[in-house]
Amino acid sequence: MYYIGYDLGSSSVKAALIDAKTGRSVGVTNYPEKEMAIIAVETGWAEQDPEAWWKNIAKVTEKLLAQTSISSNKIKGIGISYQMHGLVVVDKAGKSLRPSIIWCDSRAVSIGNDAFTGVGEDKCVSNLLNSPGNFTLSKLKWVKENEPELYEKIDKLLLPGDYIALKLTGEATTTISGLSEGIMWDFNQNKPADWLFDYMGISTDLIPTIVPTFSDQGRVTKSAAEEIGLPAGIPVLYRAGDQPNNALSLNAFHPGEIAATGGTSGVVYAITDSTVTNESSRINNFAHVNYTIDKPRIGKLLCINGAGIQYSWMKQNVVSTEDSYNDMNNLAGSVPVGSEGLRILPFGNGAERMLNNKNEGASIFNLNFNKHNKSHLLRASLEGIAFSFVYGIEILKNDGVNISAIRAGNDNLFRSEIFSNTIATLVNTNINIMDTTGAIGAARAAGVSTGDFDTLNDAFSENEHVMTYHPLKDKKAYTDTYEIWKNDLENKYNN
């Protein structure tokens, strides 16, 4: 028997099958191969059609079953991971009323900022562990203000993963973790933040039924089964946003454990048991997948927009078109630590929350035309991105995180020895690189709900360990260079 996991991103849907006995992956694929369209009617807007997500769920299921030659009748449960912070609104029939306002849409920034001031910053920080920000509830307030006739037809507000679960089961449900990512959960009162809904003029009746993250969340209906090719009656067993799910996939559940990703943007997601924050304006705090009222597990999320996109820019504009990322890493390795004085701030991909939403672009310092070449630019690029991760981890430490372990997926940035060694050395913590995906994690999590895996650790003990980066003994060159880079950063963004 097998579990299937879906990972709904903004570019594609990934799907994985895992063996219910061993937890081993037997197949992973994605659909579509060409990125899903993002609708931008106005500058700063970003929308997607929820029905397109559902159609792609059907396509990726068909593709995965054909690829693995596994009968759908052997699938015993479903796990769902999804792009966070999006808004889907549906009517009483469960039909979406408008395109989803997704995670990277910025239209509700001012609404969230006004609410932060209007209800009181202290109350937001102590109860929500966040400012209302440009998150799901603020987006719904935008719909209320700008599309009142449509708003009156809304029966439930959903996150993207909630919508997929609705399409599968016919039941509108959500989770505490999901409500926290939409900044709708009050951690002090252990219930939805009705006072914030009241301030926004939104009825809490729009909140769907709350179900545990690991639980039988409904069964696949006959009509859904006909559409996607899975047997009717199998349960949806797990649901979580992509960053909590990524941490789950990397076996990060306990205080002090960090899950990191180094894609176009970078993410540091740290687990803590504290429901207090000092850094609510620079990081976000969400209920982790194993959060309970008795044993709170909070994921402190720090996002760095200007991460891998900078190294990608170097690939497109600095090196030869034939050069691979591995070739670039080798060129960077020919230059000593510190890039002979060349330094780069990588923040050129929009406003950076950890820099208090400053958006002043990337910067190059101390470029010497008689000394520096493309190898120096590549090393300074990798060092600058690594330094931004270290700077972010310092913010997390200031917010009470005591680091015990860092785990990361086997992506381009973490394959670079320069990048990973720099972080490991400056943070003085091993970095374990694991070969897994969000879809595999969601599938394994489904097995936790049924008891096929006794504990979360059992479910993820079969992750393939790729390698470990250890802190280097000779740290002086790294610490000296980082302090100069940090001085550049604070002089630029604090003035």
Side-chain angles (χ1 to χ4, degrees), residues 323-336:
D323 284 334
S324 66
Y325 281 113
N326 189 54
D327 294 328
M328 292 167 63
N329 293 340
N330 290 335
L331 284 170
S334 67
V335 173

Side-chain angles (χ1 to χ4, degrees), residues 50-370:
E51 187 60 26
W53 299 339
W54 177 242
K55 289 179 180 177
N56 289 336
I57 290 280
K59 292 288 187 182
V60 79
T61 304
E62 179 184 15
K63 183 179 177 182
L64 182 61
L65 294 176
Q67 175 183 301
T68 58
S69 299
I70 290 173
S71 169
S72 64
N73 290 327
K74 293 185 177 181
I75 297 175
K76 60 186 297 187
I78 300 167
I80 301 171
S81 169
Y82 59 89
Q83 52 174 294
M84 295 172 72
H85 314 309
L87 170 69
V88 182
V89 290
V90 298
D91 61 18
K92 290 184 182 297
K95 181 180 178 182
S96 63
L97 292 168
R98 67 175 324 283
S100 171
I101 303 176
I102 66 172
W103 63 276
C104 52
D105 186 292
S106 60
R107 76 184 72 182
V109 170
S110 61
I111 291 173
N113 290 343
D114 289 346
F116 192 38
T117 303
V119 300
E121 296 184 9
D122 289 344
K123 183 166 186 176
C124 287
V125 171
S126 64
N127 291 51
L128 304 172
L129 308 186
N130 298 281
S131 68
N134 182 45
F135 294 106
T136 310
L137 189 60
S138 297
K139 291 169 180 172
L140 181 57
K141 172 69 168 175
W142 183 93
V143 174
K144 177 179 171 65
E145 290 181 347
N146 292 273
E147 300 172 348
E149 292 183 2
L150 182 147
Y151 179 84
E152 292 301 319
K153 299 176 184 177
I154 297 174
D155 182 59
K156 298 297 176 189
L157 73 96
L158 304 172
L159 297 155
D162 300 338
Y163 179 75
I164 297 303
L166 170 65
K167 293 291 288 186
L168 287 165
T169 68
E171 299 177 30
T173 57
T174 192
T175 64
I176 289 175
S177 181
L179 290 174
S180 76
E181 84 181 54
I183 320 300
M184 295 179 279
W185 185 256
D186 187 315
F187 287 92
N188 283 352
Q189 299 183 28
N190 295 311
K191 66 176 186 177
D194 48 11
W195 49 271
L196 184 58
F197 277 78
D198 289 343
Y199 180 84
M200 297 280 198
I202 295 170
S203 171
T204 53
D205 291 343
L206 299 187
I207 300 172
T209 301
I210 301 172
V211 296
T213 296
F214 300 90
S215 66
D216 187 332
Q217 301 174 1
R219 303 288 174 127
V220 173
T221 64
K222 182 179 179 180
S223 61
E226 292 172 351
E227 289 187 71
I228 68 169
L230 294 180
I234 66 168
V236 174
L237 296 167
Y238 163 84
R239 188 185 330 170
D242 51 12
Q243 293 306 328
N245 181 75
N246 180 63
L248 167 139
S249 303
L250 292 167
N251 200 15
F253 301 107
H254 307 295
E257 295 176 341
I258 284 180
T261 57
T264 299
S265 60
V267 171
V268 182
Y269 185 92
I271 313 303
T272 179
D273 57 4
S274 173
T275 53
V276 176
T277 181
N278 302 314
E279 296 283 4
S280 63
S281 65
R282 298 203 285 176
I283 63 175
N284 296 115
N285 297 269
F286 305 125
H288 192 34
V289 294
N290 58 338
Y291 172 92
T292 65
I293 292 171
D294 294 333
K295 290 186 177 180
R297 294 294 181 265
I298 304 297
K300 292 183 178 291
L301 187 148
L302 182 138
C303 184
I304 306 159
N305 290 337
I309 191 170
Q310 180 192 231
Y311 209 45
S312 174
W313 186 91
M314 292 284 176
K315 190 177 191 300
Q316 295 172 28
N317 295 284
V318 173
V319 299
S320 167
T321 55
E322 290 80 24
D323 284 334
S324 66
Y325 281 113
N326 189 54
D327 294 328
M328 292 167 63
N329 293 340
N330 290 335
L331 284 170
S334 67
V335 173
V337 177
S339 307
E340 295 191 282
L342 181 63
R343 300 180 299 279
I344 298 178
L345 301 179
F347 308 112
N349 189 32
E352 292 286 354
R353 181 172 173 82
M354 77 173 188
L355 301 177
N356 294 306
N357 291 315
K358 296 285 181 67
N359 183 9
E360 297 185 25
S363 300
I364 298 175
F365 292 86
N366 207 31
L367 177 63
N368 186 319
F369 297 128
N370 299 309

Side-chain angles (χ1 to χ4, degrees), residues 214 248 251 253 289-290 445 448 453-461:
F214 300 90
L248 167 139
N251 200 15
F253 301 107
V289 294
N290 58 338
V448 173
F453 307 111
D454 291 336
T455 68
L456 289 166
N457 286 335
D458 289 340
F460 295 94
S461 61

Side-chain angles (χ1 to χ4, degrees), residues 375-395:
S375 297
H376 293 87
L377 284 168
L378 295 175
R379 174 144 202 151
S381 175
L382 286 170
E383 289 180 335
I385 303 167
F387 291 157
S388 69
F389 273 69
V390 174
Y391 189 79
I393 290 171
E394 288 181 354
I395 295 172

Side-chain angles (χ1 to χ4, degrees), residues 40-56:
V41 178
E42 303 282 350
T43 301
W45 289 20
E47 300 180 342
Q48 287 185 320
D49 179 8
E51 187 60 26
W53 299 339
W54 177 242
K55 289 179 180 177
N56 289 336

